[in-house]
């Protein structure tokens, strides 16, 4: 069983160096995913401005409406049902949840069932519960819900990054051009991409307009979990339940900055 003392000790050894020293204004950009993984929050924690890419096309089966947690039988998806009929090509900002099924109550029940014995369950469940309780209308903006939860988790972790929505910035473009235009509008001199950015990021285009491209240095470190051996790349909820406030900050490499 994971205890609070063992969680703190194991999470303490998982610090990550800060890649952001002396790089000017750093911006990171990403779709507003549902209870994202730790690497997503690493980008938030190590940027000055984080832009939710809510004006991108919604992709069915993406992390925008689902993520995974750990159960006694291994990883399991938590999926928010969304309205899709007659909405092909809708933007993320246009996606609405489908509350024909009581998904919010089911997600809460699933979290309680699988994390009830986690060392920080009471605190984290109490923190998250009001957001799910409020998501019971017939229709609710998926991006609004996700952004509210993400920004609240960041606040809980004392991450002071400024949040923005791409849909409110009046920027145009596709792929790299769109990212560059967002960086220019928010005054960024450095663009921090996720670890998957190496496969598509066009560094020369950023550099040609005076923006330094960086790839996140995040590396998934193990931490205490329930139900046997370590499973990585789960929702940050798994980290919070098992490691709490301080342990999560240590895994994000920001333990020396606050608290």
């Amino acid at each position: 069983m994971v205890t609070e003392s063992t969680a703190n000790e194991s999470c303490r050894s998982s610090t990550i160096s800060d890649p952001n020293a002396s790089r000017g204004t750093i911006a990171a950009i990403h779709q507003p995913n549902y209870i994202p993984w730790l690497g997503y929050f690493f980008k938030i924690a190590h940027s000055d401005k984080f832009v939710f890419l809510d004006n991108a096309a919604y992709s069915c089966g993406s992390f925008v409406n689902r993520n995974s947690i750990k159960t006694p039988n291994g990883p399991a998806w938590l999926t928010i049902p969304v309205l899709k009929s007659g909405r092909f090509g809708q933007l993320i900002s246009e996606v609405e949840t489908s509350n024909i099924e009581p998904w919010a109550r089911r997600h809460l029940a699933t979290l309680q069932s699988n994390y009830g014995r986690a060392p920080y369950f009471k605190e984290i469940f109490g923190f998250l519960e009001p957001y799910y309780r409020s998501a019971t209308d017939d229709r609710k903006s998926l991006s609004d819900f996700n952004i509210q939860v993400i920004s609240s988790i960041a606040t809980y972790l004392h991450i002071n990054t400024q949040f923005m929505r791409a849909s409110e910035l009046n920027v145009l473009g596709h792929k790299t051009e769109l990212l560059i235009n967002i960086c220019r509008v928010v005054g960024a001199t450095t663009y921090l991409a996720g670890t998957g950015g190496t496969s598509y990021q066009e560094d020369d285009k950023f550099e040609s307009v005076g923006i330094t491209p960086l790839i996140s240095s995040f590396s998934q470190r193990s931490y205490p979990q329930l139900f046997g051996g370590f499973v990585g790349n789960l929702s940050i909820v798994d980290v919070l339940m098992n490691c709490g406030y301080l342990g999560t900050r240590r895994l994000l490499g920001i333990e020396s900055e606050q608290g």
Side-chain angles (χ1 to χ4, degrees):
M1 178 178 176
V2 179
T3 65
E4 185 168 334
S5 60
T6 58
N8 274 332
E9 182 60 31
S10 295
C11 294
R12 182 186 301 275
S13 64
S14 300
T15 56
I16 303 169
S17 61
D18 185 348
N20 300 331
S22 303
R23 298 234 178 226
T25 300
I26 300 170
I29 304 167
H30 207 289
Q31 294 91 337
N33 288 350
Y34 175 50
I35 50 173
W37 75 307
L38 194 65
Y40 189 107
F41 282 88
F42 183 91
K43 285 209 305 181
I44 294 175
H46 293 280
S47 60
D48 302 300
K49 299 179 180 182
F50 187 91
V51 180
F52 293 107
L53 196 64
D54 60 341
N55 59 351
Y58 168 72
S59 176
C60 183
S62 70
F63 285 102
V64 174
N65 71 308
R66 68 174 187 166
N67 221 307
S68 56
I69 61 168
K70 193 177 182 187
T71 76
N73 299 315
W77 290 108
L78 287 181
T79 302
I80 300 178
V82 299
L83 300 175
K84 293 180 285 187
S85 180
R87 292 170 173 244
F88 179 78
Q90 63 182 327
L91 302 180
I92 293 173
S93 61
E94 299 169 336
V95 177
E96 294 180 308
T97 61
S98 173
N99 286 10
I100 296 175
E101 302 176 22
W103 67 267
R105 289 199 297 272
R106 289 183 180 178
H107 286 201
L108 281 176
T110 301
L111 291 175
Q112 187 167 20
S113 174
N114 289 285
Y115 291 103
R117 298 181 64 186
Y120 297 95
F121 169 77
K122 185 175 181 180
E123 178 181 354
I124 301 305
F125 188 84
F127 165 72
L128 293 173
E129 185 177 18
Y131 300 104
Y132 286 88
R133 296 295 183 195
S134 67
T136 56
D137 298 334
D138 290 338
R139 293 183 178 182
K140 184 178 180 68
S141 166
L142 176 64
S143 60
D144 282 354
F145 177 78
N146 288 349
I147 290 171
Q148 183 181 40
V149 173
I150 291 168
S151 58
S152 296
I153 291 174
T155 298
Y156 167 79
L157 292 170
H158 287 91
I159 297 172
N160 299 317
T161 301
Q162 181 181 0
F163 290 110
M164 304 176 182
R165 300 186 191 216
S167 60
E168 298 176 351
L169 297 178
N170 296 318
V171 289
L172 300 174
H174 297 282
K175 298 183 179 180
T176 299
E177 179 188 10
L178 176 61
L179 300 178
I180 288 173
N181 289 341
I182 290 174
C183 287
R184 297 175 80 171
V185 167
V186 304
T189 55
T190 299
Y191 169 62
L192 178 62
T195 52
T198 53
S199 63
Y200 63 84
Q201 186 165 303
E202 299 175 279
D203 290 355
D204 57 327
K205 292 186 177 180
F206 282 94
E207 293 165 350
S208 69
V209 295
I211 298 172
T212 302
L214 284 180
I215 298 295
S216 170
S217 63
F218 178 76
S219 176
Q220 176 71 77
R221 308 294 181 90
S222 63
Y223 55 87
Q225 290 177 330
L226 301 174
F227 315 127
F230 178 72
V231 177
N233 303 329
L234 302 175
S235 164
I236 194 172
V237 172
D238 185 81
V239 185
L240 290 168
M241 292 286 191
N242 289 302
C243 294
Y245 166 78
L246 286 177
T248 302
R249 284 181 56 85
R250 288 170 183 142
L251 288 168
L252 290 171
I254 53 175
E255 75 281 2
S256 63
E257 298 176 17
Q258 174 72 39

